[in-house]
Amino acid sequence: MTHAPKSEFLRTLQARGFVQDCTDLAGLDAALMAGRVTAYVGYDATGRSLHVGHLVNIMMLRWLQKTGHRPITLIGGGTTKVGDPSFRDDERPLLTPEQIAANAGALRTVFDRYLDYGAGGALMLDNADWLDGLNYLGFLRDIGRHFSVNRMLSFESVKSRLDRDQSLSFLEFNYMILQAYDFLELHRREGCVLQMGGSDQWGNIVNGIDLTRRALGAEVFGLTSPLLTTSDGRKMGKTAGGAVWLNAEMLSPYDFWQFWRNTTDADVGRFLKLYTELAVEECDRLGALGGAEVNAAKVVLANEATALLHGRAAAEAAEATARAVFQQGGVGEDLTVLTLPRADLAAGMTSAHVLAAAGIVKSGKEAKRLIGERGVRFDNEIVLDPNAPVTAETIGDELKISVGKKKHYLLRLAG
């Protein structure tokens, strides 16, 4: 992209690392300079919570509103009934209308934290409002005729599935048509001219742009963000304990805070730009810190990201809890929260087994060596016997485990 944007929205996004591709960057920039632009991101209601991987696009909507434009969060109450086949090996399980409605309600609580839905502000819409009532024959005649099956088969999300000789149902094949129709309908209803999404949604976004141009003769745009991985190659938002959920009912504010506090050193500056509203210059300064100082930058990242989602009080409480749990070394040391199924302890575990089962060490042999060297503490007490039995009663709900002077873990029992 050689165009240097003049609009505040695109300048902000480029400076903070949000932009991957745009169908017409100069055209979109001109539209943003000419007046208030309406843009949307769609979210299917396939689960009770979004995860950290969705936060990039939520932050894009937030920056859109902060720079004077109008964001739409589109809940896929209709498209969820079909299921997005993009880059999946098999068909998504079909959900009941009741499940979809419950999931949609849970998602709305997260969007309320990032966007202002007051009078004249952001909109939250559900594509079931127009998809549920479609006349099939009319839809085929008016919309289906604009789609080339040959072109649809060329999209990577479909092609990769077929190349592996994996079935793609006619139901799933219709998903990209329905999603394209969303853009057309939002342009009709709300004057929406921009769809945003992750780079894996490029094909779906281009479909919507083509359909809107063919059916209405309208000029609309698509903008994608990069699919993020951590500097060590892990998918963003995935941890050993599972996805990093945004709903507090599925992941506590404390655990959310800890996720950011455990960021790899190399990712701090980049994540500050994407997931906080600190000035770019401050993000660069904090990201350039090295040695023990980078831990202070990680605390800033954890506090700012948590405050946006759960509120400033929750962020401060999480930091205070971390300080209390790890008071011997303060927040400058490595902090990791782990979970262990309560049922595992019922099978009869020893101190060495707990270290291995929690993933703190690779084997029982390594655990016994560390304990023999007096290098392991449970709740600040040195563990002397690797064969000492450990039960849920002796642990309680949480156990602080220290290995050496700088590695600390908070082990929580689940189930």
Side-chain angles (χ1 to χ4, degrees):
M1 296 183 187
T2 57
H3 177 77
K6 296 181 176 63
S7 61
E8 184 183 2
F9 175 61
L10 285 180
R11 285 190 289 109
T12 298
L13 259 57
Q14 281 203 340
R16 303 185 80 93
F18 284 98
V19 178
Q20 175 78 16
D21 288 302
C22 183
T23 54
D24 179 2
L25 192 64
L28 175 59
D29 193 34
L32 289 160
M33 291 293 292
R36 192 184 192 206
V37 162
T38 297
Y40 86 100
V41 178
Y43 301 88
D44 279 345
T46 53
R48 291 182 296 146
S49 176
L50 300 175
H51 55 72
V52 164
H54 295 103
L55 261 186
V56 166
N57 294 142
I58 296 175
M59 289 298 294
M60 290 171 75
L61 289 171
R62 183 175 173 88
W63 282 115
L64 183 84
Q65 186 167 42
K66 286 175 70 71
T67 53
H69 303 283
R70 183 174 69 154
I72 296 175
T73 46
L74 181 65
I75 303 296
T79 44
T80 303
K81 296 171 184 175
V82 175
D84 186 356
S86 300
F87 304 102
R88 286 184 60 87
D89 292 334
D90 51 16
E91 189 170 348
R92 291 182 183 273
L94 295 181
L95 303 179
T96 67
E98 292 75 20
Q99 289 173 314
I100 293 172
N103 290 344
L107 300 189
R108 290 188 178 100
T109 63
V110 168
F111 296 125
D112 285 339
R113 301 296 312 192
Y114 290 89
L115 299 171
D116 177 8
Y117 291 97
L123 297 177
M124 187 175 295
L125 303 176
D126 189 330
N127 63 16
D129 291 345
W130 53 84
L131 294 181
D132 280 0
L134 283 178
N135 175 280
Y136 186 62
L137 290 178
F139 184 75
L140 287 179
R141 182 193 62 206
D142 298 336
I143 302 301
R145 65 190 179 90
H146 293 298
F147 287 84
S148 163
V149 171
N150 292 28
R151 186 165 181 271
M152 292 166 72
L153 289 172
S154 71
F155 285 120
E156 187 59 34
S157 59
V158 174
K159 190 171 179 292
S160 61
R161 182 96 157 254
L162 298 179
D163 285 348
R164 295 193 298 269
D165 292 325
Q166 291 165 333
S167 174
L168 181 71
S169 72
F170 181 68
L171 176 69
E172 293 177 286
F173 197 61
N174 274 272
Y175 183 89
M176 63 184 74
I177 300 177
L178 296 175
Q179 192 185 65
Y181 183 70
D182 283 343
F183 202 168
L184 183 151
E185 197 64 33
L186 286 172
H187 183 76
R188 277 178 177 161
R189 292 172 178 239
E190 303 295 342
C192 182
V193 297
L194 172 63
Q195 181 182 0
M196 300 187 293
S199 59
D200 60 335
Q201 292 297 313
W202 179 256
N204 287 329
I205 291 173
V206 170
N207 266 339
I209 291 171
D210 287 347
L211 175 62
T212 305
R213 176 179 55 82
R214 290 172 185 270
L216 303 178
E219 182 182 24
V220 292
F221 307 94
L223 179 67
T224 62
S225 60
L227 292 182
L228 293 182
T229 58
T230 58
S231 59
D232 54 6
R234 289 178 291 115
K235 189 174 181 180
M236 184 61 190
K238 296 291 186 180
T239 68
V244 181
W245 302 110
L246 302 185
N247 283 66
E249 295 78 11
M250 296 182 66
L251 187 78
S252 72
Y254 177 76
D255 287 335
F256 186 79
W257 189 95
Q258 286 283 2
F259 168 76
W260 297 108
R261 173 58 185 80
N262 291 330
T263 295
T264 304
D265 293 2
D267 291 324
V268 173
R270 183 167 58 120
F271 288 177
L272 280 164
K273 291 178 187 177
L274 291 169
Y275 300 109
T276 81
E277 294 177 337
L278 294 179
V280 170
E281 296 76 17
E282 178 65 2
C283 296
D284 287 335
R285 184 190 73 80
L286 291 169
L289 296 175
E293 286 185 315
V294 75
N295 291 313
K298 292 179 183 181
V299 171
V300 173
L301 170 62
N303 283 340
E304 295 303 312
T306 304
L308 281 175
L309 177 60
H310 296 295
R312 183 64 61 181
E316 292 174 353
E319 182 183 359
T321 299
R323 287 183 182 276
V325 171
F326 299 96
Q327 57 188 342
Q328 282 192 324
V331 295
E333 303 196 357
D334 294 332
L335 316 178
T336 306
V337 178
L338 302 169
T339 58
L340 184 67
R342 192 177 298 269
D344 287 359
L345 293 176
M349 276 198 177
T350 65
S351 300
H353 286 149
V354 167
L355 295 178
I360 295 172
V361 296
K362 294 181 179 179
S363 66
K365 182 178 181 181
E366 182 183 356
K368 289 180 179 180
R369 178 184 62 78
L370 286 170
I371 292 172
E373 295 172 352
R374 300 172 67 88
V376 177
R377 284 170 290 155
F378 285 0
D379 287 336
N380 300 325
E381 296 290 332
I382 295 175
V383 179
L384 300 174
D385 183 2
N387 298 313
V390 178
T391 65
E393 288 71 27
T394 58
I395 287 182
D397 290 331
E398 295 180 343
L399 175 68
K400 176 188 173 185
I401 300 176
S402 302
V403 178
K405 293 182 178 180
K406 292 190 175 182
K407 291 186 178 180
H408 304 283
Y409 306 86
L410 186 64
L411 185 66
R412 290 180 166 172
L413 299 185

